[in-house]
Amino acid sequence: MTTRPPLTTTAGSAVPDNQNSLTAGPRGGIMLQDYQLLEKLAHQNRERIPERVVHAKGWGAHGTLTITGDISRYTKASCLQPGAVTPMLARFSTVAGEQGAADHERDVRGFALKFYTKEGNWDLVGNNTPVFFIRDPYKFPDFIHTQKRHPKTNMRSATAMWDYWSLSPEALHQVTILMSDRGLPVTPMNMNGYGSHTYSFWNDAGERHWVKFHFKTQQGHKHYTNEEGEAVIGRTREGYQEALYGAIEDKAFPRWTVQVQIMPELDAEKTGYNPFDLTKVWPHGDYPPIEIGVMELNRNPDNYFAEIESAAFSPSNIVPGIGFSPDKVLQARIFSYADAHRYRLGTHYEQLPVNQPKCPVHHYNRDGNMNHFGLRSGNPDAYYEPNTVLGSPAEVPSAKEPPLRIDGAMARFNHRDGNDDYGQVTALFNLFDADQKARLFSNIAAAMNGVPSDIIERQMVHFVRVHADYEAGVRTALKAAHGYEANTISEGEAAE
C-alpha cells in the first residue's frame, strides 16, 4: 500500500483533522482561532476570477416583500411587521455551472434575496432545497472542487463527485433531492426557495426563537426529465433567463408564499436531531409552517451587469430582530460571502448602487479601492471610534442581539458521530410514488456513468441503509443504462 504524504497548511504545518471545524461543544459555535478553516475558505474565494466561485450563472429581478401575517411576538424586525412592504432583489442561479453554462442542467438552484429595509439591508442567501451536502464548513471547498472541472482533463468528473459523496453520508439527503424530479425545475418560477439554515428571531423583550424560512411557489412545481432538459438546451442555453424576463415583461409577475417555521429556543436541546444541522429538516408536524406574506417579482433590471451580476448577497447582512444560530455552515458563510465580494467586486462593494442600503449609512471605514464617497462618519474629524466629536456615529444598544447560548469544550468534534444520516432520507424516499422513484434511479444511473465500481459499491451501502428498494432500483437502472452488474449488499454489510 502506497504511503500517503502528510496533509499540511500552506505554511507546511501538519493538519491533524481536516473533517471537523473547531467549535465550542458539538453544536458550535465556531472558534475564530480555527486558522485552517479561515485559510480554506479565504483561499477558495480567490480561486477564480472574475466570476463567482459558485452560483456564477444567474437570473434576477426586482420586487417586493409584503407581510400579511403577524409574527410580532417573535421578532422586532420592522420589515416583518404586519402590513410592511419592502423593496427587494432576487437572484436565482445554478451552483456548479460557469457563466456560460446552460440553464437547464440538473443542479441545485441558488435562491438569493436582498431586502432593502429601513433598518439596513437584510440578505437571505439560500437554495431551492431545504438542506445541503455538508454540515461542517470545513468540507465546503472540498465539495465544490468535486463539482468543478478536473484540473487535468478540464472536464466535470462524475468519479470525483461520487467518490466524495460515497465517503460523506451526510450528503445523501441533498443528493436524493438533486437526483429527484426537483433537481431540474422548468423555470425559476416553478421552484420553492429556502433559507436552508436555521436563523433566529428576537423581540423587544430579548426573547429568542429559532426560525427557518420557506418561499413556496404560487406557479406550481414543474420539472423536466434529463432528456427534456437536454432537448431544451439544444434550442437555447438561456431558458431560465428567457422565462423569468419574459414573464415579468408580460406582467405575469411570479409570486411566492412566504412561510416560517418557529422553534422555542430551549426546544433545540430536546429534539432528536440537531436543529442547526444543514443536512436536516424540521418535521412540519412538530413545527408547522406559518404563512406570513408574499414575495413578488415585478421589475426587470435595466442593466443586467450593474443590477444582477454586481449584486452581492451575504448572510452577514441582518437587521435588528433577526439573528444567527450555532449552524456551523451559516457561521462560516457569514465570513466567506462578504470576503468573496471584497475580492470579486472590491473593498467597498456595498457602495455599488444595487448593494447600497436605502437607509442612511454612517461608519468609520476608510480608504481602499473603490472609495469614491470619502468618510461616512458625518464629520471629517471623526475618523476613529470612540471619540468625542459632535455629530459622529455612536453605538445603538437597542440593536444588540440577545446572548447566544453555547457550551462545551473547544475541540474538533467528529460531525458524523451520533448523526442519523438516513432517517430523514428514508422519510423522503417513502414520499415518492413509483414513477418518481423510477426517475430518481434513472437520474442517479446517468450521473454514475463511468464511475469505478468500487465507488459505486461504496455508495450502494448508503442507498440500502435508506431502503432496500433504493439500492435495488439504482442497480436495475445501472444495468439497463450501462450494463453494470455487481453483487447486491447483504443486510450485514449494510449494518457495518
Side-chain angles (χ1 to χ4, degrees):
M1 184 175 180
T2 305
T3 301
R4 300 177 63 176
L7 179 65
T8 72
T9 67
T10 54
S13 301
V15 176
D17 183 344
N18 194 43
Q19 309 303 317
N20 305 288
S21 296
L22 192 62
T23 61
R27 294 190 175 185
I30 285 175
M31 300 292 102
L32 185 61
Q33 76 177 57
D34 194 346
Y35 64 92
Q36 179 63 359
L37 169 64
L38 299 184
E39 170 63 27
K40 289 180 72 172
L41 295 174
H43 182 87
Q44 184 191 22
N45 281 337
R46 292 157 175 81
E47 286 182 354
R48 292 174 182 84
I49 57 172
E51 69 179 27
R52 290 169 169 86
V53 174
V54 290
H55 299 279
K57 181 72 179 292
W59 327 275
H62 299 271
T64 55
L65 171 68
T66 301
I67 301 300
T68 56
D70 187 353
I71 53 172
S72 57
R73 69 181 183 272
Y74 300 117
T75 178
K76 62 183 286 183
S78 64
C79 62
L80 296 178
Q81 301 308 306
V85 179
T86 303
M88 58 159 296
L89 175 75
R91 183 180 185 269
F92 312 114
S93 56
T94 48
V95 173
E98 299 94 348
Q99 280 188 331
D103 293 353
H104 283 90
E105 295 180 341
R106 183 168 298 276
D107 199 351
V108 177
R109 265 68 181 173
F111 202 99
L113 311 174
K114 184 181 292 291
F115 303 100
Y116 302 99
T117 88
K118 65 182 182 181
E119 297 173 302
N121 288 352
W122 169 39
D123 291 357
L124 195 60
V125 191
N127 288 318
N128 70 326
T129 58
V131 297
F132 199 58
F133 299 94
I134 60 171
R135 67 165 64 94
D136 193 305
Y138 228 47
K139 303 315 301 171
F140 187 63
D142 298 301
F143 163 65
I144 293 301
H145 285 166
T146 73
Q147 303 299 296
K148 293 294 186 177
R149 295 179 180 272
H150 190 287
K152 183 176 181 180
T153 67
N154 197 37
M155 294 184 289
R156 301 279 292 278
S157 172
T159 296
M161 185 169 65
W162 286 105
D163 189 30
Y164 176 90
W165 284 342
S166 67
L167 293 167
S168 308
E170 68 275 9
L172 186 56
H173 200 171
Q174 177 75 315
V175 169
T176 301
I177 296 174
L178 173 62
M179 296 299 169
S180 75
D181 289 346
R182 294 203 177 184
L184 187 44
V186 170
T187 77
M189 296 86 81
N190 299 120
M191 65 186 190
N192 288 346
Y194 301 89
S196 299
H197 295 290
T198 297
Y199 291 86
S200 62
F201 280 157
W202 52 279
N203 57 24
D204 282 317
E207 299 168 325
R208 185 191 299 280
H209 286 76
W210 308 117
V211 60
K212 282 188 176 289
F213 294 94
H214 304 258
F215 298 80
K216 300 300 180 68
T217 175
Q218 293 188 8
Q219 289 69 237
H221 287 285
K222 296 179 182 178
H223 311 99
Y224 280 141
T225 64
N226 284 352
E227 294 74 19
E228 290 170 335
E230 290 169 2
V232 173
I233 293 172
R235 298 192 301 270
T236 176
R237 299 177 65 83
E238 316 300 336
Y240 274 37
Q241 179 69 17
E242 293 166 0
L244 178 63
Y245 185 88
I248 293 174
E249 287 297 291
D250 292 341
K251 302 192 182 305
F253 302 139
R255 306 180 102 200
W256 286 260
T257 300
V258 185
Q259 299 176 340
V260 293
Q261 284 181 283
I262 293 178
M263 176 188 293
E265 181 178 22
L266 296 183
D267 274 23
E269 301 174 7
K270 307 172 187 176
T271 57
Y273 54 91
N274 180 358
F276 311 121
D277 183 341
L278 184 55
T279 69
K280 298 290 191 294
V281 297
W282 296 357
H284 287 194
D286 297 336
Y287 303 100
I290 302 169
E291 185 173 324
I292 64 169
V294 175
M295 182 183 89
E296 178 184 276
L297 299 183
N298 48 35
R299 180 168 64 88
N300 280 316
D302 293 321
N303 183 302
Y304 180 90
F305 177 81
E307 299 171 54
I308 305 301
E309 184 60 22
S310 297
F313 303 85
S314 176
S316 59
N317 288 339
I318 56 170
V319 294
I322 301 173
F324 304 122
S325 82
D327 181 331
K328 297 178 186 180
V329 181
L330 170 61
Q331 293 202 342
R333 292 179 79 205
I334 291 168
F335 159 76
S336 65
Y337 273 59
D339 184 57
H341 304 324
R342 284 187 287 269
Y343 169 66
R344 190 175 72 91
L345 298 173
T347 306
H348 300 285
Y349 65 90
E350 288 189 305
Q351 294 309 308
L352 292 173
V354 70
N355 299 321
Q356 281 184 341
K358 307 300 183 186
C359 64
V361 174
H362 307 286
H363 57 69
Y364 293 92
N365 292 344
R366 295 185 58 198
D367 304 340
N369 63 345
M370 289 178 59
N371 186 352
H372 57 274
F373 49 84
L375 282 168
R376 301 305 293 268
S377 67
N379 191 310
D381 292 325
Y383 55 91
Y384 56 90
E385 202 284 329
N387 63 61
T388 57
V389 179
L390 294 178
S392 61
E395 298 166 341
V396 184
S398 63
K400 183 180 293 186
E401 187 175 342
L404 186 68
R405 296 163 58 93
I406 59 173
D407 63 82
M410 183 173 67
R412 295 189 185 276
F413 296 91
N414 187 339
H415 65 82
R416 296 183 181 117
D417 280 352
N419 262 299
D420 176 9
D421 289 318
Y422 305 102
Q424 290 197 356
V425 189
T426 301
L428 174 64
F429 183 79
N430 288 335
L431 289 176
F432 295 158
D433 62 29
D435 289 339
Q436 290 171 322
K437 288 178 181 176
R439 290 190 293 271
L440 170 68
F441 305 148
S442 176
N443 293 336
I444 290 174
M448 283 184 164
N449 187 25
V451 174
S453 61
D454 61 322
I455 294 175
I456 291 177
E457 292 306 312
R458 191 190 307 137
Q459 183 65 40
M460 289 295 183
V461 174
H462 300 308
F463 291 150
V464 77
R465 287 174 179 171
V466 172
H467 199 290
D469 292 349
Y470 200 162
E471 181 225 359
V474 174
R475 285 194 184 280
T476 299
L478 279 168
K479 183 176 181 180
H482 312 302
Y484 179 86
E485 289 191 75
N487 295 327
T488 57
I489 297 167
S490 69
E491 291 183 5
E493 290 174 309
E496 289 180 0

